Amino acid sequence: MTLHRMPLAESPPAPAPLIDPFARAITYLRVSVTDRCDFRCVYCMAEDMTFLPKADILSLEELDRLCSAFIVKGVRKLRLTGGEPLVRRGIMNLVSSLSRHLESGALDELTLTTNGSQLPKYARDLAAAGVKRINVSLDTLDPDKFRAITRWGDLHKVLDGIEAARATGLAVKINAVALRGTNEDEFAQLVRWAHGLGMDLTLIEVMPLGDVDGGRLDQYLPLSAVRAQLAREFTLDEIDYRTGGPARYVRVKETGGRLGFITPLTHNFCESCNRVRVTCTGTLFMCLGQDDAADLRAPLRASERNDRLFAAIDEAISRKPKGHDFIIDRRHQHPAVARHMNVTGG
Ligand code: SAM
């Protein structure tokens, strides 16, 4: 089945690129294609979640048109995420359709973040559609801990998914959230495992997004401490490597592999932020850690032409805030924003 694309408005002259009030060029769009997921990670969702009504969710054709409009506006990197992007029905039709922007040269990279559970089914199609690299989220190599963190997940299925992706030639980066008392004794092992298979590893600080069952302080582990711990075991050499995302990398001398740190709490990098996020209902969030948002679904549906959509995007970018200020400590245990990560897209 191919995606029936809505006509892109023939709107000369080319719309102006997206520059925010702090002179940052917005070239990276993350799209949450569904808020649903086959896992219930304890730091991401509550166990008993209410999902968005299906009627509110953009069709794949609408998502395609929305992404394409951002590409016309200068987005060069597109990441599909969720929820779990690979549980959205028909997702490969969207990926295949969007890959035309890789072929045309309008897009540098089409990628996705996944929990890996569906990769045995989709890895080959992703590679065939021009996806070169994917991020797989994996916080532990211990099957019992994995089940405890994800509530519903099966580690072996994910490891099979990673193998399937690697077998098709996809570059896999592993993302692990650092969780106090859960995986804090495993980072050296994760480094050796990921690097042993030729995969980059990125560690992420837990962010106070949405109410989850239990306090954030119990989960939060500053990466400054993790880095110091790893530096006792490995030689960490600073490198300039960048992927267009927020991670800062070192090379681990002993393994030869790259290790990234995403530190929204101990050291945010908002000054170089180049990204915005759109949800599966067409809500644009200009910052992961702020509530301000713009509705793009109404202008998208109001007309087959893109003029209103472009205007709504421009207006939203003119309001992109300087950054977020996540804090997790004894006095700040409430969510910085009410929505969970599965809605905004990780
Ligand atoms: N289901 C896919 C996955 O598991 O990768 C994509 C969506 S998931 C929300 C994207 C990433 O966000 C995952 O790496 C997940 O670990 C991370 N994440 C979720 N909630 C988080 C939080 N509160 N703080 C930090 N990272 C979080």
Side-chain angles (χ1 to χ4, degrees):
M1 189 174 82
T2 50
L3 211 61
H4 173 71
R5 283 177 221 138
M6 290 181 203
L8 259 186
E10 350 57 65
S11 42
L18 300 171
I19 309 288
D20 81 358
F22 304 93
R24 297 171 297 195
I26 307 307
T27 55
Y28 183 3
L29 177 69
R30 295 183 177 218
V31 184
S32 175
V33 297
T34 175
D35 62 332
R36 286 158 203 262
C37 188
D38 51 342
F39 293 179
R40 290 286 179 280
C41 297
V42 291
Y43 50 81
C44 184
M45 298 193 200
E47 184 155 24
D48 186 17
M49 292 286 290
T50 308
F51 292 103
L52 294 162
K54 288 223 165 102
D56 290 356
I57 290 172
L58 298 184
S59 68
L60 294 174
E61 286 82 359
E62 288 172 324
L63 281 171
D64 182 286
R65 186 177 147 205
L66 193 54
C67 293
S68 302
F70 272 96
I71 292 167
V72 171
K73 299 279 296 168
V75 159
R76 306 283 316 173
K77 175 169 174 175
L78 189 62
R79 177 177 299 280
L80 305 182
T81 177
E84 171 48 43
L86 296 181
V87 302
R88 169 99 195 228
R89 190 168 302 157
I91 185 64
M92 280 315 304
N93 295 322
L94 178 64
V95 175
S96 307
S97 176
L98 288 172
S99 71
R100 71 188 184 279
H101 298 299
L102 292 172
E103 283 156 28
S104 76
L107 197 61
D108 293 331
E109 186 169 20
L110 174 61
T111 183
L112 85 167
T113 300
T114 172
N115 65 26
S117 68
Q118 309 299 313
L119 282 174
K121 187 167 159 195
Y122 288 125
R124 196 189 296 259
D125 294 343
L126 288 168
V131 173
K132 298 267 184 280
R133 305 185 306 151
I134 57 170
N135 290 353
V136 178
S137 305
L138 178 70
D139 305 322
T140 177
L141 290 169
D142 176 315
D144 296 329
K145 273 193 211 172
F146 187 82
R147 172 56 61 108
I149 293 172
T150 60
R151 291 194 180 104
W152 297 358
D154 176 354
L155 175 65
H156 296 291
K157 246 175 114 177
V158 171
L159 294 178
D160 287 349
I162 291 170
E163 264 325 294
R166 295 179 60 242
T168 63
L170 286 169
V172 177
K173 176 165 80 80
I174 301 296
N175 281 343
V177 177
L179 297 165
R180 176 178 296 285
T182 304
N183 60 3
E184 65 183 311
D185 56 347
E186 270 195 75
F187 299 124
Q189 190 196 352
L190 277 168
V191 166
R192 287 197 191 89
W193 169 74
H195 291 179
L197 294 175
M199 303 184 292
D200 291 350
L201 169 69
T202 295
L203 304 177
I204 305 173
E205 284 174 343
V206 77
M207 290 174 267
L209 304 174
D211 246 327
V212 288
D213 314 316
R216 286 290 180 190
L217 199 55
D218 298 340
Q219 299 177 336
Y220 173 53
L221 186 58
L223 284 186
S224 44
V226 174
R227 187 173 170 148
Q229 175 200 322
L230 287 172
R232 285 195 285 276
E233 192 145 350
F234 300 110
T235 313
L236 308 179
D237 293 327
E238 300 275 353
I239 51 174
D240 271 343
Y241 177 73
R242 298 300 306 274
T243 64
R248 295 299 183 275
Y249 285 88
V250 296
R251 177 149 332 260
V252 178
K253 199 168 178 187
E254 290 76 2
T255 62
R258 282 186 293 244
L259 173 63
F261 297 91
I262 299 184
T263 53
L265 283 102
T266 51
H267 185 176
N268 80 45
F269 291 97
C270 300
E271 70 276 4
S272 58
C273 183
N274 58 351
R275 53 202 165 273
V276 290
R277 293 171 158 87
V278 71
T279 71
C280 58
T281 57
T283 303
L284 177 67
F285 285 98
M286 290 73 85
C287 173
L288 181 62
Q290 304 282 357
D291 280 320
D292 192 23
D295 173 34
L296 300 182
R297 190 177 53 187
L300 183 81
R301 289 186 173 167
S303 161
E304 284 196 351
R305 293 181 57 88
N306 277 347
D307 311 42
R308 288 190 204 188
L309 182 58
F310 287 144
I313 295 173
D314 285 337
E315 199 281 324
I317 299 301
S318 77
R319 290 191 272 127
K320 183 170 161 67
K322 194 166 182 191
H324 56 72
D325 29 35
F326 293 134
I327 305 176
I328 300 179
D329 63 20
R330 238 167 254 293
R331 285 186 305 126
H332 303 86
Q333 294 214 51
H334 294 298
V337 295
R339 61 186 189 278
H340 292 88
M341 188 70 143
N342 65 305
V343 173
T344 325

